[in-house]
Amino acid sequence: MLFSCEQMPNENDAIDINQKGIELINAGKHQEALEAFLKAIKNPKLTKKSKGTIYRNIAITYNELDKKDSAIHYSTLAAKCFKKNSSDYLVNAADVDLLRGKTAPALAKLLKAVNLDPDEMAVNNTLGLIYLGEYDDAFTDLDQALIYNSKAFEISGSRVIEEVLARNYYRMENYEKAELHFEQLVQNYPDMISYTLDMAMTKHKLNKLAEADKLFVQVIAKDSSYKETIDAFKENNR
């Protein structure tokens, strides 16, 4: 059987590469994820909707890499792929606002978007982050955050979404539920030391001191720079 040396690209090729990028993001490999998304967006067969999705992934990854100007650029491109005032448009336009430090107009757009599409993961996730005070402490409302973060997790149980939900429970001092989610994160992503630290702190809050100390030792063994953080936490939570 003969094979062509050069296969014509189709949209599914880009979708597969985009999915690989998402898997890399979930594994904490942001630079590799960015390379995948940048490859996917070059596919000439992409529909506007698919372009918008991949542009948003590129923007999110640039933001994770602390390259805000690039994140703003790709968020703007993502918004332009959708009909003005549609849910997708509003979510991406809100991303631009948030990247520019404009939380109030972003929130207004997102509340419109969630009314248009209450089952859309991105809008629930971003609303949850706003109400956690991630962008501006003035907007902190942990009860509201839990509504949106729980919905986002119901839609997509990805690593990042579960982490946000766990932090939401922790900040509400619902340590039992925080523990459940941090344990799941540690089980699924054992190499991400921050989750082991989060679980140790949660167990300490639950007065499971022996379990917490065992985890603290594991964290320090992997990265001794965490010792000062752990000592300060213990001092403040006697």
Side-chain angles (χ1 to χ4, degrees):
M1 183 181 291
L2 297 176
F3 294 89
S4 171
C5 292
E6 185 174 341
Q7 184 179 13
M8 290 297 290
N10 60 58
E11 186 177 34
N12 286 336
D13 296 330
I15 290 171
D16 290 344
I17 296 169
N18 179 67
Q19 184 59 40
K20 178 62 176 176
I22 292 170
E23 292 168 7
L24 289 165
I25 282 278
N26 280 329
K29 299 177 180 180
H30 296 108
Q31 187 59 48
E32 292 176 50
L34 178 63
E35 291 168 8
F37 294 139
L38 290 173
K39 181 179 179 181
I41 201 63
K42 292 179 181 177
N43 189 306
K45 300 295 184 179
L46 288 172
T47 62
K48 268 201 163 184
K49 183 174 177 63
S50 292
K51 279 186 179 180
T53 298
I54 297 171
Y55 278 141
R56 186 168 196 268
N57 289 339
I58 294 170
I60 289 169
T61 311
Y62 269 127
N63 193 42
E64 289 289 335
L65 293 168
D66 293 322
K67 296 182 178 179
K68 186 174 289 187
D69 287 344
S70 294
I72 290 171
H73 172 68
Y74 280 98
S75 288
T76 303
L77 289 178
K80 289 179 178 178
C81 290
F82 301 103
K83 183 179 178 181
K84 194 167 184 179
N85 292 322
S86 67
S87 176
D88 287 320
Y89 171 86
L90 290 165
V91 168
N92 286 286
D95 285 344
V96 175
D97 287 335
L98 290 170
L99 288 163
R100 288 176 171 160
K102 299 177 179 180
T103 307
L107 179 58
K109 290 181 177 72
L110 291 166
L111 291 173
K112 289 180 183 178
V114 80
N115 283 331
L116 291 170
D117 191 354
D119 293 324
E120 210 283 316
M121 188 277 292
V123 65
N124 282 282
N125 173 232
T126 310
L127 281 167
L129 290 171
I130 287 176
Y131 285 122
L132 270 180
E134 294 288 302
Y135 300 101
D136 187 331
D137 287 341
F139 292 87
T140 302
D141 183 332
L142 298 180
D143 290 326
Q144 281 292 105
L146 185 60
I147 292 170
Y148 293 113
N149 287 324
S150 296
K151 183 66 175 179
F153 183 67
E154 177 188 320
I155 298 164
S156 168
S158 71
R159 174 185 69 83
V160 175
I161 302 299
E162 185 162 22
E163 177 191 343
V164 173
L165 181 59
R167 288 195 287 113
N168 200 151
Y169 281 126
Y170 184 92
R171 289 184 58 189
M172 295 179 80
E173 301 183 8
N174 188 336
Y175 300 121
E176 291 83 2
K177 287 193 175 180
E179 180 185 32
L180 289 173
H181 288 287
F182 282 131
E183 283 183 337
Q184 193 67 32
L185 288 164
V186 169
Q187 180 180 329
N188 292 335
Y189 306 97
D191 294 333
M192 300 193 75
I193 193 169
S194 62
Y195 294 150
T196 305
L197 177 60
D198 289 332
M199 188 166 72
M201 290 178 170
T202 304
K203 287 184 179 294
H204 190 96
K205 290 284 191 179
L206 288 167
N207 206 33
K208 298 180 179 180
L209 302 183
E211 292 179 49
D213 283 341
K214 184 178 179 180
L215 292 167
F216 284 136
V217 169
Q218 289 178 20
V219 170
I220 293 171
K222 289 182 179 179
D223 188 341
S224 61
S225 69
Y226 280 100
K227 185 177 187 306
E228 186 175 346
T229 299
I230 292 168
D231 289 342
F233 172 81
K234 286 184 175 181
E235 181 64 28
N236 293 327
N237 291 274
R238 288 183 179 276

